[in-house]
Amino acid sequence: MVTPLERDEPQHIGRYRLLGELGSGGMGRVLLGVGPDGRLVAIKQVHQHLVAEEDFLPRFRREVQTSAQVSGAFTAAVIDFDVESEYPWLASVFVPGVPLDKAVKDYGPLTSDEVHKLAIGLASALQAIHGVGLIHRDLKPANVILAEDGPRVIDFGIARAVEGKSELTHTGSIIGSPAFMSPEQAQSLPLTPASDMFSLGAVLAMAAGGASPFAGSSLPHTLYNIVHTEPDLSGLPPEVRELVSPCLSKDPQERPTPAQLLDFLGPLPPQHRPWSAQVHKAINEQEAEMSALLADPEATHIVGADSSSAAGSQSVDDFERRLQALVEIQRANTLRGRRKRALIAVSTVLVLIAGVLAGTALFGGSDDHPTEPTVNPLAALNLTKLRSIDLCAAVKDPLVPSLGEWTKAPSSTQWGTCAAEAGGYQFDFDIKRVEGYRDNGKRATGVPVLEDVTGGTDGCGRALLPAKTDPQFGISIRVKGEQSDKACTVADDAAAQLAHRMTEQPPLLADIRSSLARHDPCALVDSIVVKLNIGDRVRGTPDLLHTCKWISTGTVTVSLERSKILVPTEKPIPFDLGGGNIAFLDEAELSSPTCVRRGQYRQIDNSDAEVVTVQVDNPTMTEHPEFRCLAAQTVLQNVLDNLPRVSR
């Protein structure tokens, strides 16, 4: 609800006409304004006592300038600011919607599907915020708006630059909302972006369960719970627990990054109204109020109540009555528009039904091919889960009974692949991109079975389509044998049996929680490292299941793999590039357009290890191969730094 301003207050801030006050908090108060273009803005005006603090303004200026760089579909962008005015302020896009805490309090916890949509929005917002070097530091339900088309994260006013050394508060003080702080924040320790991920987990748990999983009877009790106790997630749906639990790890290193969480969640499904009918009704009412304010020319001169003046009280009553009347007019107009659209829609549906009935009469109908289930049983197999599957364990038992036992047992040298033989046929299983496969409508246990149309004539390929991913990955089966005319029949039988096994319980790789296999290589390289070493605004794309590529003037490839234990190789030629940057090359790299650097993550046994490989290809840098190798070294070190620490 917008409240009127006091009688003697300014009616403008900068180029924005003020319509009223939205609320206030520890940093300042929030005003509703309208710009010359008619766009509504939320203006956060800093409290005077903060302005008087030593060094506040330079810090605030630096952070606001950085906040203005944040953009994304799930953030309320900062579009203007003035640090030099008597009361410094920043303006962000006003987003009509219901704060998450109010939505849960008034209408109850969100459903699992709503939490899934909320998680995608929050992770996307944090990715945008962290991408410009900021930490939000106060991600809480009140700072999450449920808007008509999805969530929005607001209030970057207390975010701080990651690279900055100063704080907006005194040493040892706490900024943020206690029930949604990270353990390191509760102890006033240095923060990293991982702190926001802990807060994200707490917000999602609250959205699904109705309260923070750490809320105590007092502030000290709440802070103690955050630092020392494990959250009670038993009341949450299993799919929400699986999502929230990693985010609430006490160790920041074990929490997922926003990119890793988005990889786990998969793409946002098509949606019309993401929230409950009650939430959307509240949003519509707020939009009607905003429209009424904009339609009222007197709103330019809103004056507030003076408690000692009857005339002041009368002005508030007049404001409320005028606003309510305009809201009712706006609602009536909206209702008439909806009725008109509904009549058009009904007419259209009747025409379509008539056409369908006519088509049935002309061409006939049949029940020979009943409609297949629309729900894919493998819809939960996102990229994170696909990376964790042990394919050889899934095909340990023969897939095609008519071929008998495996004559060559299933074996693999790399994650996400497996090879076996039976009845004179060779089977190759792979979890890979399936853009070259076609959906001809075939289903096995409800799972779409795609056909390979680009694999040539040396065999027959099929692929099971799991969750929708970007790019699309599937579980492929390729069959080769002397009787090539029967290979497709064998591939169909194998695909049907494998689909059945995958819908029951996909087997996971051994020691998957410690394994490099479960990580998204695209998410392991920080945005600032990409910008400086690969190119600004260059996006990494999953090329293979455990490989990511960034393509700019050259190509950078990061691969996570299982290989033999690394043996150190000598790079005898040093290049001192200044600033402490030294690249070591060997003779072959001086004339090669490619530079490769490998780092061992953990040793598996006496012969094998998990390894990170970074390859930089850039033929344009032939005269300076040292820069290629410096980029490879930098990216490799960044990946290793971002991986959780392991004991072996």
Side-chain angles (χ1 to χ4, degrees):
M1 184 64 186
V2 181
T3 58
L5 301 175
E6 295 295 333
R7 179 185 300 277
D8 57 350
E9 288 191 275
Q11 296 169 13
H12 287 79
I13 288 182
R15 58 197 181 99
Y16 303 99
R17 173 167 60 90
L18 299 181
L19 302 178
E21 182 176 300
L22 293 169
S24 61
M27 288 286 292
R29 65 174 185 159
V30 184
L31 303 163
L32 180 67
V34 58
D37 58 357
R39 179 164 51 171
L40 288 171
V41 294
I43 302 173
K44 186 160 189 177
Q45 194 174 45
V46 176
H47 284 319
Q48 187 61 39
H49 71 85
L50 290 173
V51 179
E53 290 186 7
E54 185 179 2
D55 294 335
F56 172 82
L57 286 179
R59 296 197 303 271
F60 184 66
R61 180 186 298 108
R62 182 167 59 250
E63 296 195 11
V64 170
Q65 288 172 343
T66 307
S67 297
Q69 300 175 37
V70 177
S71 63
F74 299 99
T75 59
V78 174
I79 58 175
D80 202 356
F81 57 88
D82 186 353
V83 181
E84 312 304 330
S85 67
E86 182 181 0
Y87 296 93
W89 55 270
L90 62 87
S92 58
V93 174
F94 176 77
V95 181
V98 183
L100 177 60
D101 56 344
K102 177 176 171 56
V104 172
K105 179 182 177 183
D106 292 351
Y107 313 122
L110 275 57
T111 65
S112 295
D113 285 344
E114 289 172 333
V115 171
H116 184 268
K117 296 168 188 173
L118 176 65
I120 291 176
L122 297 188
S124 299
L126 288 183
Q127 188 174 42
I129 293 167
H130 296 167
V132 299
L134 286 175
I135 302 174
H136 191 289
R137 301 188 74 206
D138 196 21
L139 185 63
K140 59 184 178 182
N143 281 339
V144 176
I145 302 297
L146 304 185
E148 180 72 22
D149 58 349
R152 297 290 191 282
V153 172
I154 63 171
D155 197 353
F156 307 142
I158 59 172
R160 74 171 178 88
V162 173
E163 300 301 325
K165 300 184 181 298
S166 60
E167 299 283 348
L168 285 177
T169 55
H170 299 296
T171 303
S173 64
I174 295 176
I175 260 188
S177 302
F180 300 95
M181 287 180 177
S182 65
E184 54 270 29
Q185 193 173 10
Q187 299 174 87
S188 296
L189 298 174
L191 301 185
T192 67
S195 176
D196 283 343
M197 294 304 295
F198 189 96
S199 299
L200 182 149
V203 168
L204 295 179
M206 176 271 180
S212 164
F214 301 103
S217 57
S218 64
L219 173 59
H221 187 195
T222 298
L223 296 178
Y224 179 88
N225 289 344
I226 289 171
V227 175
H228 298 291
T229 67
E230 293 301 318
D232 180 8
L233 306 177
S234 58
L236 302 183
E239 58 272 21
V240 176
R241 283 202 307 272
E242 183 182 21
L243 171 63
V244 165
S245 183
C247 297
L248 297 179
S249 172
K250 304 296 185 190
D251 184 353
Q253 288 279 341
E254 294 184 359
R255 297 171 204 155
T257 64
Q260 289 171 328
L261 192 62
L262 288 169
D263 178 66
F264 175 80
L265 291 165
L268 187 67
Q271 57 184 351
H272 175 53
R273 293 165 69 87
W275 318 118
S276 69
Q278 294 167 304
V279 170
H280 281 283
K281 180 182 177 183
I283 295 171
N284 292 338
E285 290 174 350
Q286 187 186 54
E287 288 176 335
E289 180 181 347
M290 296 301 108
S291 297
L293 278 171
L294 288 173
D296 180 11
E298 294 186 49
T300 307
H301 307 292
I302 295 175
V303 292
D306 184 340
S307 59
S308 62
S309 167
S313 179
Q314 179 69 31
S315 67
V316 174
D317 292 339
D318 289 343
F319 169 75
E320 296 292 351
R321 280 197 297 269
R322 189 171 68 249
L323 179 58
Q324 185 60 36
L326 287 164
V327 168
E328 294 303 326
I329 293 171
Q330 181 68 23
R331 286 178 183 166
N333 290 337
T334 301
L335 183 59
R336 282 196 294 272
R338 286 179 179 169
R339 285 174 178 166
K340 183 177 179 181
R341 289 192 296 271
L343 287 172
I344 294 171
V346 169
S347 301
T348 303
V349 170
L350 289 174
V351 171
L352 288 174
I353 290 174
V356 170
L357 291 175
T360 303
L362 288 170
F363 301 107
S366 173
D367 293 329
D368 294 341
H369 302 286
T371 303
E372 292 283 352
T374 57
V375 177
N376 183 352
L378 301 187
L381 288 184
N382 52 39
L383 279 176
T384 299
K385 293 182 178 179
L386 286 174
R387 292 191 185 98
S388 303
I389 289 176
D390 187 339
L391 265 187
C392 282
V395 300
K396 179 181 178 182
D397 297 324
L399 289 176
V400 185
S402 62
L403 298 181
E405 298 293 322
W406 293 118
T407 54
K408 181 179 178 182
S411 62
S412 173
T413 58
Q414 197 50 259
W415 306 309
T417 65
C418 190
E421 294 181 9
Y425 291 94
Q426 297 84 46
F427 293 77
D428 288 304
F429 305 94
D430 196 359
I431 302 176
K432 65 177 186 178
R433 293 173 64 162
V434 289
E435 286 90 345
Y437 288 71
R438 181 172 57 204
D439 187 352
N440 288 333
K442 291 185 178 180
R443 298 292 183 270
T445 322
V447 179
V449 180
L450 311 184
E451 296 182 2
D452 185 8
V453 294
T454 61
T457 59
D458 62 337
C460 190
R462 298 288 185 263
L464 305 180
L465 186 69
K468 293 290 185 181
T469 61
D470 182 22
Q472 183 62 57
F473 279 74
I475 304 171
S476 72
I477 305 158
R478 185 151 197 85
V479 177
K480 300 179 184 178
E482 293 181 2
Q483 294 181 295
S484 57
D485 58 326
K486 297 182 179 180
C488 286
T489 301
V490 173
D492 286 333
D493 292 344
Q497 185 58 234
L498 184 57
H500 175 71
R501 295 181 189 178
M502 285 295 174
T503 57
E504 290 182 334
Q505 183 61 52
L508 302 182
L509 293 164
D511 200 18
I512 188 59
R513 288 191 62 83
S514 302
S515 177
L516 191 60
R518 67 187 178 94
H519 291 280
D520 172 15
C522 295
L524 290 174
V525 185
D526 293 335
S527 58
I528 187 65
V529 174
V530 172
K531 180 177 180 179
L532 295 177
N533 293 274
I534 302 173
D536 193 12
R537 303 183 186 278
V538 179
R539 179 176 177 265
T541 302
D543 183 48
L544 303 174
L545 189 62
H546 299 90
T547 300
C548 187
K549 277 189 177 181
W550 290 261
I551 300 176
S552 183
T553 52
T555 301
V556 176
T557 306
V558 174
S559 303
L560 312 180
E561 56 193 343
R562 176 172 177 157
S563 73
K564 295 300 180 184
I565 293 173
L566 292 185
V567 177
T569 56
E570 186 178 0
K571 304 288 183 183
I573 307 172
F575 286 84
D576 189 345
L577 303 175
N581 296 311
I582 300 177
F584 290 90
L585 285 70
D586 58 28
E587 193 72 32
E589 290 170 336
L590 292 177
S591 56
S592 172
T594 298
C595 190
V596 177
R597 291 293 180 265
R598 307 184 77 200
Q600 185 166 301
Y601 175 57
R602 71 174 187 130
Q603 185 174 329
I604 300 172
D605 51 34
N606 291 332
S607 61
D608 290 345
E610 294 184 346
V611 172
V612 179
T613 300
V614 177
Q615 179 171 318
V616 178
D617 296 278
N618 195 334
T620 65
M621 299 174 66
T622 53
E623 295 184 5
H624 295 284
E626 64 273 16
F627 289 109
R628 265 195 308 269
C629 290
L630 178 63
Q633 290 173 197
T634 303
V635 173
L636 174 62
Q637 189 59 52
N638 184 231
V639 171
L640 294 174
D641 289 343
N642 284 334
L643 286 166
R645 298 182 183 89
V646 289
S647 57
R648 186 177 181 182

